[in-house]
Amino acid sequence: MKKIFSIVVAGFLFLGLGVVPVAGQEQGTLESLTKGASSGESLGQILPLLLKGIGLTPEQTQQVQQIIASHRGTLQSLFGQLQAANADLANKLIVPEEVKATDLAPQVQRITELREQLLLAGLQAVLEVRRVLTPEQRAKAVQLKEQLQALHQTISGLSGEKTTPTAPNTSEKEKPAPGNR
């Protein structure tokens, strides 16, 4: 079962793809996700937990495995191409000659195209997995996601990390009048 969720992470982490590191950057979201070391809240990180927590039936587990298997080749190929494109860009940046943005345009365009392809391929896989779930399981996933987000905010607050508030806690009725501030 653990292998299933590792495969799911690999297939869906592309939806959480925010920044792919270029030479000299700290490990980015994508690389750290593959090693399980990121503290972000991307879909690639929480989806395995959600799937585990909603109680997939053995039949559903088999269906999810089949969905992931059907997308694995495409996702792995695109990810490999993206890594190569990032390496190519890094190699073009680390040279003694002057480098202009126009010199890098083909590499940047290729990386952009690959990211979009990864996003769309991952999205397709997630939509297929969603069709396997019952409405009750999707509702339970929402509850679990909210609990995970609350836990993450609590942990971030305890560790002193800055978190982005999701919504103000004060309703319109509770706000002081403009003249009473």
Side-chain angles (χ1 to χ4, degrees):
M1 187 62 118
K2 189 173 181 178
K3 184 176 181 180
I4 294 169
F5 295 115
S6 296
I7 293 170
V8 170
V9 169
F12 300 117
L13 63 85
F14 301 110
L15 292 177
L17 183 64
V19 177
V20 178
V22 179
Q25 284 187 340
E26 197 173 310
Q27 261 191 339
T29 302
L30 188 58
E31 287 181 5
S32 60
L33 278 177
T34 60
K35 296 177 183 167
S38 180
S39 62
E41 295 181 2
S42 74
L43 181 60
Q45 289 177 281
I46 64 171
L47 188 63
L49 294 171
L50 295 177
L51 288 175
K52 187 174 184 177
I54 63 173
L56 293 176
T57 66
E59 181 181 293
Q60 287 175 313
T61 299
Q62 184 178 15
Q63 289 175 316
V64 169
Q65 286 176 327
Q66 290 170 347
I67 291 166
I68 299 305
S70 70
H71 291 275
R72 184 181 300 121
T74 300
L75 291 169
Q76 286 177 339
S77 173
L78 289 170
F79 183 61
Q81 291 175 56
L82 181 59
Q83 287 178 318
N86 281 322
D88 185 39
L89 177 62
N91 289 335
K92 299 243 189 260
L93 284 169
I94 305 173
V95 295
E97 301 86 29
E98 184 67 29
V99 178
K100 298 176 185 168
T102 55
D103 299 332
L104 304 172
Q107 289 76 26
V108 171
Q109 180 64 34
R110 179 68 179 142
I111 289 169
T112 302
E113 290 169 1
L114 289 167
R115 284 181 178 179
E116 181 179 12
Q117 290 173 17
L118 277 167
L119 177 63
L120 293 174
L123 179 60
Q124 181 61 42
V126 171
L127 291 172
E128 289 178 31
V129 168
R130 279 184 50 86
R131 287 193 288 269
V132 170
L133 306 178
T134 65
E136 294 81 17
Q137 288 171 320
R138 290 192 302 267
K140 188 171 182 179
V142 170
Q143 292 172 341
L144 290 172
K145 179 180 179 275
E146 290 170 355
Q147 290 172 356
L148 286 170
Q149 286 174 330
L151 180 61
H152 181 268
Q153 286 183 337
T154 301
I155 291 170
S156 295
L158 293 174
S159 68
E161 292 179 18
K162 292 182 181 179
T163 58
T164 306
T166 54
N169 292 332
T170 309
S171 71
E172 288 297 321
K173 292 179 185 176
E174 296 176 52
K175 288 184 182 177
N180 297 338
R181 288 186 191 179

